[in-house]
Amino acid sequence: MKFLQLFGRLKSAVVGMVHLKALPGTPRSRLPVTQILEEACQEAKLYRKAGIDGLIVENMNDIPYSLHVGPEITAAMAAVCAAVRQTCPRLPLGVQVLACANQQALAVALAAGLDFIRAEGFVFSHVADEGMVNACAGDLLRYRKSLGAEHIQIFADVKKKHSSHALTADVTVSETAKAAEFFLADGVIVTGVATGQEADPRQLREVQNSVRIPVLIGSGVTLENVDKYIDASALIVGSYFKKDGDWRGNVDYDKVMLFMEKINELRT
């Protein structure tokens, strides 16, 4: 499996989040790209030192998010991701470009030499806080093919957080995951209802029993509840690794170290 080749394990890979400061043109933009880049690389170094299994770079501070991401965001993300790749040449690296800019994320990943992207709105339409999001799998995989970027894996959110799924209330999370698998996602991501909110362990098991591709947890994992999710293919951890558990804060190296110590105990 490509997932095994990338992470060296099929379960409990830990993926930390590098939340970039606000990028040029966004309402809270204050810093030049060079400083954003330097801070991202410093965070990546802390994660690497703590023994993390992988990282995702994300433009989380670009609030409010837009469904129309400009070329300045793609360019800045490519520059930052390339620098993080140089900082961590052997660590599995991914990118997410908010909001729902999955083709841009693929372009960034290809340019920067990354390994995967996190994709929103892969299958089924939903209403996000940014607006109406339509399924993109067909266009996204054709774009990946046209770039010659099929080595870049796509991990797709199902029943994504910060969204209303009333339109697909008759479609269960496991059926959504099956659709993502059928549409050739490399893995699916299960989340809670919002950033930092726990995913339902029952949904994890339900999805794992429904698909044969990797199932990742995408929100709410902490030192206190990690045992509930240890059988997931990967745990994407953002808020918990930051000071005071706030995703807007800096990485707390001691918390990452304690978490990785606990993970290694659970793995054995």
Side-chain angles (χ1 to χ4, degrees), residues 93-200:
L93 295 179
V95 63
Q96 180 172 18
V97 182
L98 301 170
C100 307
N102 301 319
Q103 290 194 10
Q104 291 91 327
L106 265 177
V108 168
L110 182 63
L114 306 190
D115 305 295
F116 63 93
I117 71 167
R118 181 174 181 174
E120 304 173 80
F122 191 73
V123 289
F124 292 108
S125 298
H126 65 268
V127 181
D129 42 13
E130 305 92 4
M132 188 72 187
V133 176
N134 285 318
C136 69
D139 290 339
L140 184 62
L141 266 68
R142 282 165 175 78
Y143 183 65
R144 183 174 69 170
K145 182 75 171 182
S146 73
L147 293 180
E150 291 171 288
H151 60 285
I152 298 172
Q153 299 186 55
I154 298 173
F155 301 140
D157 277 275
V158 291
K159 297 286 186 178
K160 181 187 171 291
K161 59 187 178 180
H162 297 291
S163 302
S164 168
H165 299 283
L167 287 169
T168 56
D170 58 337
V171 182
T172 66
V173 66
S174 61
E175 289 170 334
T176 307
K178 285 180 183 177
E181 180 182 41
F182 181 67
F183 274 9
L184 307 180
D186 296 292
V188 292
I189 302 171
V190 177
T191 70
V193 297
T195 297
Q197 298 296 307
E198 288 189 30
D200 186 341

Side-chain angles (χ1 to χ4, degrees), residues 4-268:
L4 177 61
Q5 292 172 345
L6 179 59
F7 289 102
R9 60 177 61 252
L10 288 175
K11 291 186 178 181
S12 68
V14 180
V15 180
M17 295 299 304
V18 177
H19 294 134
L20 304 183
K21 296 297 192 295
L23 296 176
T26 61
R28 290 188 171 177
S29 175
R30 300 289 185 274
L31 303 176
V33 173
T34 51
Q35 186 172 342
I36 296 170
L37 182 154
E38 289 170 3
E39 292 187 14
C41 289
Q42 287 302 316
E43 286 202 348
K45 288 177 183 178
L46 289 177
Y47 276 125
R48 183 187 63 191
K49 184 179 177 182
I52 207 83
D53 297 306
L55 293 174
I56 298 177
V57 180
E58 182 184 56
N59 57 328
M60 187 77 169
N61 281 286
D62 285 0
I63 50 178
Y65 310 121
S66 172
L67 296 174
H68 305 285
V69 174
E72 71 283 354
I73 301 300
T74 306
M77 291 290 285
V80 174
C81 287
V84 173
R85 168 51 80 199
Q86 287 186 329
T87 302
C88 303
R90 291 179 293 276
L91 200 64
L93 295 179
V95 63
Q96 180 172 18
V97 182
L98 301 170
C100 307
N102 301 319
Q103 290 194 10
Q104 291 91 327
L106 265 177
V108 168
L110 182 63
L114 306 190
D115 305 295
F116 63 93
I117 71 167
R118 181 174 181 174
E120 304 173 80
F122 191 73
V123 289
F124 292 108
S125 298
H126 65 268
V127 181
D129 42 13
E130 305 92 4
M132 188 72 187
V133 176
N134 285 318
C136 69
D139 290 339
L140 184 62
L141 266 68
R142 282 165 175 78
Y143 183 65
R144 183 174 69 170
K145 182 75 171 182
S146 73
L147 293 180
E150 291 171 288
H151 60 285
I152 298 172
Q153 299 186 55
I154 298 173
F155 301 140
D157 277 275
V158 291
K159 297 286 186 178
K160 181 187 171 291
K161 59 187 178 180
H162 297 291
S163 302
S164 168
H165 299 283
L167 287 169
T168 56
D170 58 337
V171 182
T172 66
V173 66
S174 61
E175 289 170 334
T176 307
K178 285 180 183 177
E181 180 182 41
F182 181 67
F183 274 9
L184 307 180
D186 296 292
V188 292
I189 302 171
V190 177
T191 70
V193 297
T195 297
Q197 298 296 307
E198 288 189 30
D200 186 341
R202 293 171 299 180
Q203 286 193 348
L204 170 62
R205 292 191 292 272
E206 181 183 343
V207 173
Q208 286 176 318
N209 290 333
S210 301
V211 300
R212 300 178 65 182
I213 57 178
V215 182
L216 298 75
I217 292 294
S219 72
V221 180
T222 68
L223 185 68
E224 291 73 28
N225 68 18
V226 64
D227 57 304
K228 298 179 184 178
Y229 308 111
I230 195 65
D231 287 334
S233 300
L235 312 173
I236 301 172
V237 186
S239 299
Y240 180 75
F241 284 159
K242 304 302 178 69
K243 294 187 184 299
D244 301 319
D246 187 337
W247 63 265
R248 288 161 290 202
N250 295 322
V251 170
D252 187 326
Y253 174 75
D254 292 335
K255 291 179 75 173
V256 183
M257 280 290 296
L258 287 172
F259 188 91
M260 293 309 299
E261 288 174 5
K262 178 69 174 292
I263 280 285
N264 288 326
E265 289 175 7
L266 292 171
R267 286 170 178 171
T268 57

